[in-house]
Amino acid sequence: MNSEALSVRARRPHRALVTATLALPLLAVTACGAGTDSTAPGGSSGPPKATAGSATPGGTSATPAPSASATPTTPGAGVPTPSASGGTGSAAKQVRTAVYFLHGEQVSSAPRTVTAPATATAAVRALLNGPSRFEQNRSRTTAIPSGTKLRSLTVRNHVATVDLSGRYDDGGGSLSMRARLAQVVFTTTRFATIHSVRFELDGKPVKHFGGEGIVLSGPVGRADFEDLAPAVLVESPLIGDTVRTPVRVWGSANTFEAVFRLKVTDTTGHTAADVRVTATSGTGTRGTFDVTFPYKPVRTGPGLLTAYYLSPRDGRAVTVDTVPLYLNR
């Protein structure tokens, strides 16, 4: 972690010591809607994960999804992803990626489709447009001020220099400032060719960001915003995706002894699956996971994927992330 690059950051309390009762409200996810709400169920495909974790439904071992790529190329993220330049495809190639909004006070991924070759640039512009109505109705928000414009984005030696308009640092306290930085960092580092981000405002390098004086002495990456990532960050499937059994789930986690659970509930509230997952690392170090497991819904339609862990203190379930989905058999 680049502690010098970002001198103002809150250390998140160890999530394994949090105790709470698991609440699993079934969010009313619709298959389609009016206006921008029509972005509801999308495809469930996503970039392959590099390192497979393990899942155990009901105490029986399940086979992790096969890895389709080599070692992760994004430090702190562990998520191999499309190239920021769009790869070797044609100029009109469509690339599915994700932008990162906020769910509560932590980052949460949402699907977007961009056109190569300037995929990272298009992703940041999509981020600046804010969450869709469908996403807003599922409590996804943004800390980035409306009207912020992307002036340019260049990548050199795995560092993206993101030049934004001066509107980007308007208003907000330290949490809001750090959150909007994290949103851009997570969105750009989703691409394998980008490891960290250097910020500029109106063409000038940022050394102190916002009225809170957040010091940016160099490029920053995902690890610099660990406190703004949920204990389990689901990177796929994404909010509103349509999935089929077996479902593949991948992302990163920082939980006690790297263990947590993934639960799928259908539109009736029935538990269609509840599996134990082990990430590649945990207990203060973020690891990755990539698992595939079956689910059996009573009824297809709107559903919910919940990531949670059992408190080591009293065994109570602690919810750390939820992803509304559309379930097929």
Side-chain angles (χ1 to χ4, degrees), residues 8-91:
V8 179
R9 52 187 291 269
R11 188 73 178 173
R12 181 179 60 193
H14 201 296
R15 293 185 178 275
L17 299 180
V18 180
T19 58
T21 302
L22 172 64
L24 291 172
L26 184 62
L27 301 187
V29 184
T30 55
C32 59
T36 54
D37 215 26
S38 62
T39 59
S44 60
S45 62
K49 270 294 275 95
T51 308
S54 60
T56 307
T60 303
S61 296
T63 303
S67 173
S69 58
T71 305
T73 55
T74 304
V79 180
T81 53
S83 165
S85 62
T88 58
S90 65

Side-chain angles (χ1 to χ4, degrees), residues 220-311:
V220 288
R222 289 190 176 196
D224 294 295
F225 301 95
E226 175 63 22
D227 58 301
L228 293 177
V232 180
L233 176 59
V234 175
E235 304 256 26
S236 181
L238 301 170
I239 179 173
D241 276 354
T242 296
V243 298
R244 294 181 182 276
T245 188
V247 60
R248 182 185 183 189
V249 184
W250 57 264
S252 65
N254 184 1
T255 57
F256 181 66
E257 295 184 343
V259 174
F260 62 95
R261 300 190 71 88
L262 293 172
K263 185 174 186 175
V264 177
T265 50
D266 66 16
T267 187
T268 69
H270 167 74
T271 298
D274 191 342
V275 300
R276 183 179 186 270
V277 181
T278 302
T280 56
S281 60
T283 314
T285 303
R286 183 163 290 269
T288 60
F289 66 92
D290 184 354
V291 295
T292 299
F293 57 89
Y295 64 85
K296 295 182 179 180
V298 170
R299 184 180 304 167
T300 61
L304 190 69
L305 171 67
T306 300
Y308 70 99
Y309 65 84
L310 300 178
S311 169

Side-chain angles (χ1 to χ4, degrees), residues 95-186:
V95 178
R96 191 171 192 265
T97 185
V99 297
Y100 290 75
F101 297 119
L102 301 174
H103 188 198
E105 296 180 349
Q106 296 176 320
V107 293
S108 177
S109 53
R112 291 296 185 273
T113 299
V114 297
T115 302
T119 49
T121 297
V124 173
R125 285 186 174 138
L127 170 69
L128 299 182
N129 287 335
S132 68
R133 187 181 307 166
F134 175 85
E135 292 156 356
Q136 291 175 30
N137 289 342
R138 277 91 190 154
S139 303
R140 269 54 177 182
T141 62
T142 182
I144 299 174
S146 176
T148 299
K149 303 297 183 184
L150 176 65
R151 289 166 47 88
S152 66
L153 188 155
T154 58
V155 181
R156 183 178 182 182
N157 296 328
H158 302 295
V159 177
T161 298
V162 181
D163 184 7
L164 298 160
S165 63
R167 176 77 172 146
Y168 184 60
D169 71 345
D170 287 356
S174 59
L175 178 60
S176 174
M177 290 295 177
R178 295 191 70 253
R180 69 188 67 172
L181 291 171
Q183 286 182 251
V184 173
V185 168
F186 275 75

